[in-house]
Structures are given as C-alpha cells and as structure tokens.
Amino acid sequence: MDVRIEPSWKDKLSQEWDKDYFVRLTEFVRCEYSRTRIFPPAGKIFAAFDACPFDKVKVVILGQDPYHDYGQANGLCFSVNAGVPLPRSLVNIFREVSADTGCPMPVDGDLSRWARQGVLMLNSTLTVEAHRAGSHQGHGWEEFTDEVILRLAHDCEHLVFILWGSYAIKKGAFIDRSRHLVLTSPHPSPLSASRGFFGNHHFTRANAYLVANGKKTIEW
C-alpha cells in the first residue's frame, strides 16, 4: 500500500502498510470520510509524522483522540492552528510551560513549532468523527501507534516520553526506562489538571535530560 507519509516514517513502518489490520483500517477511514465529517482534514492525518521525521525525534508527547469540534484538529495532539481559540487542556499545558520555564504564554496554539524541534505530537487514534469523542477507537489506529512507539523505543536512545493521564501511561508501559526518560502525570484536562499536572515540571525535566545526553533543548 502506498501511504502518503514522511519518507523516513514510511520506511521505518514499511511492514505495517500491508498488514490486515492496516488494510481494514484504511478501508474504514476512507468510508468514514466519504459519509460524514471527520477530523482532522484527510491531508493532515499523518501531520505529526510529516512535521517530525523519525531521526529527528527527541521527545514524544502522547495524546488520545484528535479534537472533535470544527476547526480544531490539525493532526498534532493538543495542537490547534493559529487563530483558533485554545482548548482548555492546551491552556493548562501553556500555564504549566510558563510556570515551569518562565516563558510567557504563547500567542497561539500551533504546536508545529515544537514538532520542528523534534517533538512528536502523537495521538493514539489519528481520526475522529465530529462531536463523537472516541468514535474511531478500536479500528486499528491503536495497533499502528503502538508500533510507532515500539519503533522509537527500540531503535532510538535517550528519548523523552511524556505521558499525561491513565490512558497514555498505560499505552507507554512497555517503554524501557533504562534507555529513555518517561514522564507521567495526570492529564491537563480541567477535570484532572489540579490533581498533579500543574507542577509536574515536565518541560524543564525533559530539557535537563536532553542536555545530559548531548541533545539540544526544546524551546517550549
């Protein structure tokens, strides 16, 4: 199968493209886009990979679903395009960035600036039906993104995996903590941010680890 994705990822994940689950997933996703409103736009499904080639990855932030309201999802977890009002989880992320690093609150929610520095903004499920959170779970995306995390954890050294919330923590449970830094905390959602997301210092801790391993820090 010819998948339109950044070349290094296309090569690294080459064994996935013709597996039965991925063929079924592709058929499902195509059908969904043809029958109803799906996010992100079809050309942005693999935007996280296109923005951050495999050999450039330094940090992985794991989300769950794309945003499911109009104009929000752009293919990078937690991110929205410039000019789009900030979702509440993203506001809380920026609050923690500011408190942790001393940087001012960003003027927009476009996290492609992080991706260009080596942050893979990966959702577990890469598509969703409008206004139906979780609607595309259980159709194969989770198996695909498990393989993405496995390839990174196996083939790279000294990455930072940032896992917010029980779902992400469970998904990243197999990552070798002796080879990578795994940072966990409650999710930045307004329902849970006050229970340990605020004050987790993940952004400065990630940068300290990168420096300790000879890598350039992220300008959060």
Side-chain angles (χ1 to χ4, degrees):
M1 182 182 300
D2 185 19
V3 177
R4 295 181 181 179
I5 192 171
E6 191 277 331
S8 66
W9 285 106
K10 188 171 186 176
D11 178 67
K12 186 61 66 171
L13 299 169
S14 60
Q15 294 184 351
E16 301 304 297
W17 310 133
D18 293 317
K19 288 184 177 179
D20 288 345
Y21 88 87
F22 196 83
V23 173
R24 291 193 300 270
L25 171 62
T26 301
E27 292 172 349
F28 167 76
V29 170
R30 285 174 177 164
C31 179
E32 290 292 283
Y33 273 94
S34 70
R35 76 167 190 86
T36 190
R37 190 66 180 269
I38 304 298
F39 300 126
K44 295 292 186 180
I45 292 175
F46 294 116
F49 303 91
D50 297 337
C52 189
F54 184 88
D55 60 352
K56 302 297 184 183
V57 177
K58 295 187 287 188
V59 179
V60 180
I61 297 180
L62 185 61
Q64 190 166 348
D65 275 356
Y67 294 124
H68 56 84
D69 207 352
Y70 291 99
Q72 292 184 312
N74 65 7
L76 281 65
C77 72
F78 296 107
S79 175
V80 294
N81 290 334
V84 176
L86 301 185
R88 290 181 295 172
S89 290
L90 185 54
V91 170
N92 288 339
I93 290 170
F94 286 162
R95 285 177 60 189
E96 177 58 23
V97 169
S98 182
D100 189 23
T101 68
C103 295
M105 291 282 286
V107 297
D108 63 64
D110 181 6
L111 300 184
S112 62
R113 58 182 175 270
W114 292 1
R116 290 191 294 270
Q117 298 177 75
V119 183
L120 180 66
M121 309 295 300
L122 180 67
N123 275 315
S124 177
T125 302
L126 300 189
T127 56
V128 69
E129 184 177 341
H131 312 304
R132 293 189 61 209
S135 53
H136 284 191
Q137 293 177 8
H139 290 278
W141 279 130
E142 296 90 343
E143 186 171 348
F144 174 73
T145 52
D146 279 350
E147 182 64 21
V148 171
I149 297 168
L150 180 63
R151 291 271 59 83
L152 287 165
H154 183 269
D155 295 354
C156 303
E157 295 287 345
H158 308 308
L159 299 182
V160 180
F161 290 87
I162 296 179
L163 312 177
W164 294 326
S166 58
Y167 182 94
I169 292 168
K170 182 178 180 180
K171 189 173 179 72
F174 67 86
I175 298 167
D176 186 348
R177 269 67 170 171
S178 69
R179 295 178 60 184
H180 306 286
L181 176 64
V182 180
L183 300 174
T184 64
S185 82
H187 194 275
S189 161
L191 298 175
S192 56
S194 61
R195 298 202 294 265
F197 175 80
F198 292 130
N200 64 25
H201 299 290
H202 282 181
F203 304 99
T204 53
R205 290 170 67 187
N207 276 347
Y209 183 82
L210 294 175
V211 169
N213 287 281
K215 299 182 181 184
K216 188 176 180 180
T217 58
I218 305 298
E219 294 183 11
W220 300 107

